[in-house]
Amino acid sequence: MTGPGDPWAHAGLPRESVRDDRGDLVLTHTPTTREGRPWADLAWRMPQVDAARCADVLRSTLRGWVLSTEDEALATELIARGARVLRHAHGYSHDLRADPAPSSWSAPEGPAGLRLTGVERTAEELARLLLAAYPPGHPDCFGWTPAEARQEVAGILAGKVLGPLLPCSGLALDGDKVVGVCLVILRDGTPPHGGPWVIEVYRHPAPRYAGAGAALLRRALWLATQAELPALSLVVSDGNPARRVYERLGFRHVGASRTLELPT
Ligand SMILES: CC(C)(COP(=O)(O)OP(=O)(O)OC[C@H]1O[C@@H](n2cnc3c(N)ncnc32)[C@H](O)[C@@H]1OP(=O)(O)O)[C@@H](O)C(=O)NCCC(=O)NCCS
C-alpha cells in the first residue's frame, strides 16, 4: 500500500503503511530485515503530516526498528525522541544506458602487477581483507569481529544479503594474495534505489595498491554494460573519501539518507 506521491511507489518494491490511531496514513516504507532486525527502508512521510507528529506515531508503532529515510526533518525529530544514528549515507548511481562503460575499461589499468579476476576465493580470505580495509575509526567500519565479517561475506557470496551475487563482481590479486574486492548483487527494485548494487568494494590499505578499487569498479561497470544491466548503484557513508572515486568514475549523487535505530 502506498500513499499518493510516494516516490518509491513504482520502484518494484513492497511498500507498507504506518497509520496513526485515527487510521490516517502518516508514512510508507519498504519492510525488510538486516542482521535479524526489522528495518523500515526508504521511509517516506506523507507531505501533509508534520515531522514531529510523524515521529510521535513512529515512536509507538515502530518501537525498536531500524529506519532509513532521506527526510531530514523526520530524522531530526526522531533523534530528538531518542533515536540513535547508525549511518549518514549518500546514494550514488551510474546510469549505464545514458553513460555506458568505455571499451578501454574491459582491461582497466590498475596498480602495476595486479591481476583482476572473478570471485574465486573463500569468504575467509575476503573477510580478512575486509577487516584490514575498514579499521576502527573508518566511517564505514561496523566494528565486526572476524567471525561476523566472515559470516557477512559468506552471506553475500551465497546471495543471502539483499540479493544474488552478479558475475561483474571481482577480485584484485597480487600473485596469489587477494588485495581488492568488489561484490555486486541484484537488489529488489529498480535503480537508483534497487537493482544491480555494489554491496562491497575495498582494497588492501598499503599505498602500493592505491587505484585497485577504481580498477575493480571499472571492470564491474564494463561487465555490467556488456550484460545490459541498467545501472550500478551503491551507498557510502558521509565522510568516506571513496565518494571522490565514485564521482570520477561517473557515479552520480542521488540522495542522502540517515539510518536510525528507534528506541525500544
Ligand atoms: C574505496 C576504495 C576501494 C577505493 O580504492 P582506490 O580506487 O584504490 O582508491 P584509493 O583508496 O587510493 O583512494 C580513494 C580516495 O581516498 C583517499 N584515501 C584513501 N585512504 C585514505 C585514508 N586512510 N585516509 C584518508 N584518505 C584516504 C585517497 O586519498 C583518495 O582520495 P582522492 O580521490 O581525493 O585522491 C578504497 O579507498 C578502500 O578500500 N577504502 C576502504 C573501504 C571503503 O571505504 N570502501 C567503500 C565503502 S562504500
Side-chain angles (χ1 to χ4, degrees):
M1 160 85 198
T2 65
D6 182 346
W8 289 289
H10 305 292
L13 296 165
R15 299 295 281 165
E16 204 157 89
S17 41
V18 174
R19 294 175 182 279
D20 64 13
D21 48 13
R22 293 196 304 261
D24 293 336
L25 186 58
V26 296
L27 178 119
T28 57
H29 65 91
T30 294
T32 181
T33 55
R34 188 80 167 91
E35 288 160 19
R37 307 165 70 182
W39 177 19
D41 197 12
L42 301 172
W44 178 75
R45 170 170 56 99
M46 297 294 289
Q48 70 273 21
V49 177
D50 177 68
R53 163 144 181 70
C54 184
D56 283 336
V57 174
L58 297 180
R59 198 162 58 160
S60 55
T61 49
L62 298 185
R63 198 175 291 144
W65 279 54
V66 174
L67 176 144
S68 297
T69 184
E70 293 186 355
D71 185 334
E72 280 281 330
L74 177 60
T76 303
E77 293 295 342
L78 286 167
I79 292 164
R81 286 158 182 76
R84 194 162 68 89
V85 180
L86 298 178
R87 198 177 190 200
H88 177 195
H90 298 272
Y92 277 87
S93 190
H94 188 123
D95 182 338
L96 295 170
R97 295 205 171 123
D99 186 15
S103 57
S104 59
W105 291 6
S106 62
E109 276 194 32
L114 293 195
R115 194 162 55 89
L116 306 185
T117 69
V119 180
E120 50 189 41
R121 296 302 171 100
T122 62
E124 176 83 40
E125 280 180 270
L126 274 51
R128 261 201 305 273
L129 183 61
L130 183 137
L131 292 175
Y134 295 95
H138 183 286
D140 274 306
C141 173
F142 293 111
W144 282 325
T145 63
E148 286 166 343
R150 194 169 54 243
Q151 195 184 348
E152 172 73 9
V153 174
I156 295 172
L157 298 185
K160 291 185 182 149
V161 180
L162 300 178
L165 191 71
L166 291 178
C168 55
S169 302
L171 303 181
L173 302 178
D174 183 1
D176 200 36
K177 189 169 114 189
V178 181
V179 296
V181 175
C182 176
L183 300 177
V184 186
I185 56 143
L186 184 63
R187 284 187 83 160
D188 285 343
T190 51
H193 298 287
W197 194 268
V198 181
I199 190 162
E200 272 299 350
V201 56
Y202 54 91
R203 68 163 173 89
H204 191 288
R208 67 180 179 281
Y209 299 124
L216 283 168
L217 286 165
R218 283 193 198 95
R219 177 183 181 276
L221 288 161
W222 165 254
L223 291 174
T225 300
Q226 293 310 296
E228 298 186 357
L229 299 181
L232 286 192
S233 311
L234 54 85
V235 288
V236 54
S237 289
D238 195 58
N240 188 338
R243 282 177 74 176
R244 298 196 288 267
V245 174
Y246 305 142
E247 284 164 5
R248 280 199 294 268
L249 293 175
F251 285 82
R252 301 279 168 250
H253 191 244
V254 293
S257 71
R258 280 192 170 69
T259 297
L260 306 167
E261 181 184 54
L262 306 191
T264 49

